[in-house]
Amino acid sequence: MNDTYDGELPPPLPVHLASPVTQSALRVQHQVLVAVREFLGGEGFTELLPPVIGPVTDPGVRGSKQLDVDYYGHRYKLMTSGILYKQASLLGFGKIFYIAPNVRAEPVETCSTRRHLAEFHQIDVELAGASRAQAQDVAERLLTHVVKHVLATVPGELTGLGRDLTTLAGVLSGTFGRMTHAAAVARLHELGHPQSPDAEIDWTGEELLSRTTGRPFFVDDYPKGSRGFYDRESTTEPGILRNFDLLAPGGFGELASGSERESDYARIVTRMRETGENPAKYGWYLDMVREGIPASAGFGLGLERLVRFLTGLDAVWRVNAYPKVPGLVAP
């Protein structure tokens, strides 16, 4: 597809929006949103609109800073993730989803990863009473449905962007793969990558792992301390969390992260303290937990990362209408 701009960073906004590449990517994004709502609605999920500011937000976002706003003399946060509100929503609905904006002041060095934006959108899904396996099943079937829908509705947009449709069709050829975090670390060591066994898989490691397969795959059982206090610890394997990431093939890396959620008041407070969080900041949330919230499981799927994978484009900013790349001031 011809384009008037081929730089590594976003051009001025008028140039970006006029680009045939941007327009094709956003047409694909539109069909992704159609497919997501079609699938989750058909599965009995209720779409809710989450807040964009609150007294606290998700503390478990690696490396990024939270941004403050003055809310009538109180210091509120822009949402980095709706996870706390997802748990709250289950008091009214058993199966919910958001398609929500998230704001994270990512480190400037992530500008070069091609996978990070300071403002992005996430497809958040939560199920009361669910296990990790049930959340993974929804994530797998959701991704499969989206790929089928996009291949059926906008194949010309994909081929115009240079995407090999047979590569995407491979997503539909069976169940997704699975490995533990420990196995992923061992594999990365075999590949010569110095991945810590006590930390999240880093961005380079995710890309290396995702280049070794033609199918999406789950990485399970991240170590305690690598994720937020809301990821439930295993009762049979202390130090192991009942969580997962979903990685795309072809070097595209992580698409989604999820877990079973901790819902016990005492364990949540203990985990907060273990991760360096001050429980006093989470008054509204802990009051709610003390009264009782459903056990649940869920995940967040990055919309721009998903569209980048579908289109095969080289950076997430190319699939965002108004891209804000870390470290660059933009409209």
Side-chain angles (χ1 to χ4, degrees):
M1 174 178 291
N2 292 326
D3 198 358
T4 57
Y5 180 82
D6 60 0
E8 294 184 359
L9 297 175
L13 188 59
V15 175
H16 176 65
L17 290 171
S19 162
V21 170
T22 303
Q23 292 167 13
S24 282
L26 294 180
R27 291 187 188 101
V28 173
Q29 182 188 95
H30 171 71
Q31 291 302 329
V32 169
L33 293 171
V34 169
V36 166
R37 289 186 165 106
E38 178 182 74
F39 174 82
L40 292 174
E43 292 282 316
F45 286 82
T46 299
E47 181 176 4
L48 301 180
L49 300 176
V52 295
I53 63 170
V56 289
T57 187
D58 179 6
V61 289
R62 54 185 177 185
S64 65
K65 295 180 180 179
Q66 300 171 3
L67 296 178
D68 296 338
V69 296
D70 184 334
Y71 183 67
Y72 300 105
H74 296 270
R75 196 166 92 176
Y76 269 41
K77 304 289 184 183
L78 293 177
M79 288 295 107
T80 60
S81 161
I83 173 61
L84 305 183
Y85 291 94
K86 285 202 299 181
Q87 287 185 281
S89 298
L90 297 179
L91 293 171
F93 302 89
K95 300 167 75 173
I96 64 101
F97 75 100
Y98 305 149
I99 300 175
N102 289 245
V103 179
R104 300 180 185 178
E106 299 281 2
V108 173
E109 57 267 26
T110 62
C111 179
S112 62
T113 67
R114 308 183 309 280
R115 299 176 55 237
H116 292 85
L117 292 169
E119 181 182 71
F120 64 97
H121 298 81
Q122 189 153 282
I123 303 158
D124 271 307
V125 176
E126 200 74 14
L127 304 86
S131 66
R132 176 175 65 184
Q134 288 170 313
Q136 288 176 315
D137 175 67
V138 172
E140 180 169 341
R141 291 188 295 113
L142 172 61
L143 180 56
T144 300
H145 179 82
V146 168
V147 172
K148 286 180 179 178
H149 179 87
V150 167
L151 287 173
T153 56
V154 284
E157 303 290 355
L158 298 175
T159 55
L161 292 169
R163 192 59 158 137
D164 181 355
L165 300 188
T166 60
T167 301
L168 288 180
V171 175
L172 311 176
S173 61
T175 58
F176 292 179
R178 189 181 306 273
M179 68 173 65
T180 64
H181 178 274
V185 170
R187 177 61 176 143
L188 287 170
H189 288 174
E190 292 173 0
L191 295 171
H193 181 69
Q195 171 64 47
S196 168
D198 301 316
E200 290 201 73
I201 305 298
D202 61 34
W203 302 307
T204 301
E206 287 178 357
E207 183 174 348
L208 286 170
L209 287 173
S210 70
R211 289 192 183 281
T212 65
T213 178
R215 300 271 299 139
F217 63 98
F218 292 106
V219 178
D220 295 343
D221 297 342
Y222 279 71
K224 186 179 178 181
S226 67
R227 293 284 171 89
F229 59 77
Y230 40 76
D231 281 13
R232 191 170 74 82
E233 184 176 2
S234 171
T235 57
T236 58
E237 297 178 89
I240 298 297
L241 300 176
R242 295 283 298 166
N243 61 3
F244 65 91
D245 278 356
L246 174 60
L247 274 63
F252 289 92
E254 177 203 327
L255 293 180
S257 289
S259 73
E260 293 177 7
R261 313 301 187 189
E262 188 56 77
S263 59
D264 178 80
Y265 175 83
R267 287 197 294 266
I268 287 177
V269 171
T270 298
R271 289 286 306 283
M272 283 180 173
R273 290 175 174 150
E274 288 174 346
T275 57
E277 287 293 314
N278 178 6
K281 295 193 313 182
Y282 295 87
W284 77 267
Y285 174 75
L286 290 175
D287 287 346
M288 177 187 69
V289 172
R290 188 186 291 109
E291 291 297 319
I293 58 173
S296 66
F299 58 89
L301 174 62
L303 176 63
E304 284 87 355
R305 288 187 181 182
L306 174 55
V307 178
R308 182 196 169 207
F309 166 62
L310 293 169
T311 59
L313 291 172
D314 62 353
V316 288
W317 67 258
R318 291 188 178 274
V319 304
N320 183 289
Y322 316 106
K324 292 181 176 62
V325 172
L328 297 181
V329 176

